[in-house]
């Protein structure tokens, strides 16, 4: 068996996205628990911009960022579960892909609920809350709070899987998400990078869509 | 010599006690005398319902004002309701209705800092009355300008004297 070689697996946009998301989720939690609802809303809107960026980068970004590359059907997931050596590529494993989709989906739901929620005192609300009745916006806050447990459970699973891979598979996944490089078997194709200016366009699009939502989705609303 | 010291200490202690009693008597009780039992429960229910109504009125006001084109009939009604509730609110916190008395988000600090708390309630009442006056003019801009102060008065008290939302 030949020595593994370190190759590029995550590009800069993916790594920035990942760690900014970690920071903003932590900050959102802190802000709402300490009564800073305005900070919480801004943080949530920043997360929305990042999520839109990630969805676009998943279509036109680097090879390991693309959904078409890493999203695996049940057959490949089961195959990977039976025999981990059946899969060798740069990027998300077939099982990891499920985790990524679940996390992105759960966060989109969470942000979406927040857009329609009003705080309990009626002092601050998501930019789309005035489209629905006061009682429904209250309900949205309740679901937004409850849905956090889904997000938290997925984060625990995500971190738990990283610990498992570190202890039992001798894989340093966190380091790879920091440096962008990971030791892979020789012959495995490394990440094909995307174009930096495409990443910038994706980010601008994410921010633009968020700004449009903040403005109350004109011309459909006020 | 020793006797003199003991006597002096006793005198000082007595004076100190009487002073304390005096302040206790002269300090205005925040709302009314201490309540307990069924009376405490009913005050706590009234408070909880009242605060929910305050919240609902505030949400209606927020939704209307922030829509950019407020329905002033709805604003006037919510403003009047808010003013009425604010007037009642000073009776919602008698001693004996704190966390020891049952499930409540009113913090014990309310009764540890009665003067500051009373000032916060007064601030709410003033802001609610001012907002109601502004809303009843029927001028959306006047009402909008006055809503911020009302919101601040909610937050001023809730930040210190209300515990987290229970789910």
């Amino acid at each position: 068996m030949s020595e593994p070689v370190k190759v590029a697996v995550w590009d800069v946009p993916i790594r920035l996205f990942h760690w900014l998301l970690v920071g903003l989720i932590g900050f959102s939690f802190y802000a709402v628990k300490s009564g800073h609802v305005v900070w919480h809303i801004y943080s949530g809107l920043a997360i929305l911009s990042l999520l839109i960026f990630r969805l676009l980068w998943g279509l036109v970004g680097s090879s390991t960022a693309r959904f078409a590359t890493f999203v695996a059907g049940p057959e490949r997931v089961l195959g990977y579960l039976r025999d981990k050596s059946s899969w060798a590529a740069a990027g998300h494993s077939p099982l990891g892909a499920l985790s990524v989709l679940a996390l992105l989906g759960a966060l989109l739901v969470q942000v979406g609920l927040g857009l329609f929620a009003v705080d309990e005192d009626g002092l601050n609300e998501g930019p789309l809350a005035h489209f629905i009745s006061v009682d429904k916006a209250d309900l949205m806050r309740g679901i937004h709070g409850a849905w956090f447990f889904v997000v938290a459970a997925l984060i625990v699973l995500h971190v738990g899987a990283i610990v498992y891979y570190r202890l039992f598979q001798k894989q340093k996944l966190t380091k790879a998400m920091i440096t962008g490089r990971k030791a892979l078997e020789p012959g495995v194709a490394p990440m094909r990078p995307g174009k930096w200016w495409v990443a910038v366009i994706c980010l601008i699009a994410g921010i633009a869509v968020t700004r449009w939502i903040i403005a109350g989705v004109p011309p459909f609303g006020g | 010599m020793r006797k003199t010291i003991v006597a002096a200490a006793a005198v000082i202690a007595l004076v100190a006690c009487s002073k304390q009693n005096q302040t206790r008597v002269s300090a205005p009780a925040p709302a009314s005398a201490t309540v307990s039992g069924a009376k405490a429960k009913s005050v706590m229910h009234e408070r909880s319902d009242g605060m929910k109504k305050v919240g609902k009125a505030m949400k209606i006001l927020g939704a209307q004002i922030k829509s950019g084109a407020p329905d002033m009939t709805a604003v006037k009604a919510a403003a009047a309701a808010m003013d009425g509730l604010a007037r009642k609110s000073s009776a919602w916190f008698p001693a004996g209705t704190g966390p020891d008395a049952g499930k409540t988000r009113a913090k014990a600090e309310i009764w540890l800092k009665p003067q500051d708390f009373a000032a916060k309630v007064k601030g709410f009442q003033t802001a609610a009355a001012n907002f109601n006056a502004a809303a009843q003019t029927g001028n959306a801009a006047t009402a909008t300008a006055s809503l911020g102060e009302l919101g601040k008065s909610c937050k001023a008290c809730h930040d210190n004297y209300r515990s987290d939302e229970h789910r």
Side-chain angles (χ1 to χ4, degrees):
Chain A
M1 192 166 147
S2 41
E3 278 295 295
V5 282
K6 284 223 161 185
V7 297
V9 288
W10 307 121
D11 63 356
V12 172
I14 282 292
R15 282 180 275 154
L16 278 178
F17 163 79
H18 178 270
W19 293 112
L20 282 171
L21 192 60
V22 172
L24 286 170
I25 291 171
F27 179 75
S28 295
F29 182 78
Y30 157 76
V32 77
K33 285 287 162 193
S34 60
H36 295 101
V37 181
V38 176
W39 295 355
H40 177 82
I41 292 172
Y42 279 119
S43 182
L45 291 167
I47 290 174
L48 176 61
S49 299
L50 282 179
L51 291 173
I52 296 167
F53 160 81
R54 180 64 187 88
L55 294 181
L56 295 172
W57 196 236
L59 300 176
V60 296
S62 56
S63 61
T64 53
R66 292 195 187 201
F67 298 113
T69 314
F70 71 77
V71 175
E75 215 164 296
R76 271 173 68 198
V77 175
L78 289 173
Y80 176 73
L81 279 174
R82 271 195 292 271
D83 177 14
K84 293 222 169 37
S85 65
S86 72
W87 172 85
H92 298 295
S93 74
L95 193 59
L98 290 181
S99 172
V100 169
L101 291 184
L103 274 163
L104 290 177
L107 286 171
L108 278 170
V109 169
Q110 184 67 337
V111 170
L113 289 165
L115 292 176
F116 289 94
V118 63
D119 75 2
E120 69 164 330
D121 294 343
L123 303 182
N124 305 102
E125 62 283 294
L128 305 182
H130 66 271
F131 285 111
I132 59 176
S133 72
V134 163
D135 291 335
K136 286 214 179 75
D138 258 335
L139 179 66
M140 288 294 173
R141 180 182 75 258
I143 304 172
H144 183 68
W147 189 257
F148 175 72
F149 290 101
V150 174
V151 173
L154 289 170
I155 292 172
V156 168
L157 188 66
H158 175 67
V159 173
I162 289 163
V163 171
Y164 169 82
Y165 275 87
R166 179 74 186 83
L167 295 178
F168 301 105
Q169 306 280 326
K170 305 259 178 291
Q171 290 193 38
K172 295 180 177 177
L173 300 182
T174 309
K175 201 178 166 198
M177 190 47 82
I178 294 169
T179 64
R181 301 173 74 79
K182 188 165 175 271
L184 293 179
E185 294 298 318
V188 172
M191 169 195 76
R192 270 181 294 105
K195 297 202 164 37
W196 68 267
W197 55 268
V198 176
V200 172
I201 291 172
C202 290
L203 182 62
I204 291 171
I207 294 170
V209 173
T210 305
R211 294 294 293 246
W212 174 66
I213 290 170
I214 293 171
V217 292
F220 309 110
Chain B
M1 181 65 189
R2 176 159 272 208
K3 266 189 186 163
T4 334
I5 293 172
V6 172
V11 169
I12 290 166
L14 272 172
V15 169
C17 277
S18 63
K19 271 233 168 108
Q20 232 175 27
N21 282 338
Q22 263 174 9
T23 40
R24 223 176 259 158
V25 171
S26 62
S32 52
T34 302
V35 296
S36 61
K39 174 68 182 160
K41 288 273 180 247
S42 88
V43 170
M44 289 163 86
H45 276 297
E46 193 194 334
R47 175 168 77 207
S48 177
D49 288 347
M51 282 300 187
K52 276 177 193 145
K53 285 177 190 154
V54 168
K56 176 112 186 196
M58 195 65 195
K59 283 163 197 162
I60 291 168
L61 291 171
Q64 287 300 333
I65 297 290
K66 285 165 197 175
S67 75
D71 167 5
M72 288 310 289
T73 315
V75 170
K76 282 182 189 177
M82 182 72 91
D83 190 24
L85 289 159
R87 285 168 204 272
K88 286 183 191 161
S89 68
S90 39
W92 289 344
F93 297 91
T97 60
D100 293 340
K103 193 173 152 189
T104 178
R105 291 172 66 197
K107 284 189 180 174
E109 277 84 347
I110 290 170
W111 296 277
L112 297 174
K113 299 177 188 170
Q115 267 145 8
D116 181 58
F117 181 76
K120 297 280 197 294
V121 172
K122 187 86 199 127
F124 170 44
Q125 292 174 325
T126 307
N130 288 346
F131 179 77
N132 190 28
Q136 300 308 328
T137 64
N139 183 319
T142 312
T144 304
S146 184
L147 185 64
E149 285 304 312
L150 179 58
K152 275 184 207 158
S153 76
C154 303
K155 196 168 159 54
C157 204
H158 286 167
D159 280 354
N160 296 326
Y161 296 112
R162 180 181 64 176
S163 54
D164 285 348
E165 194 172 7
H166 26 238
R167 295 197 193 283

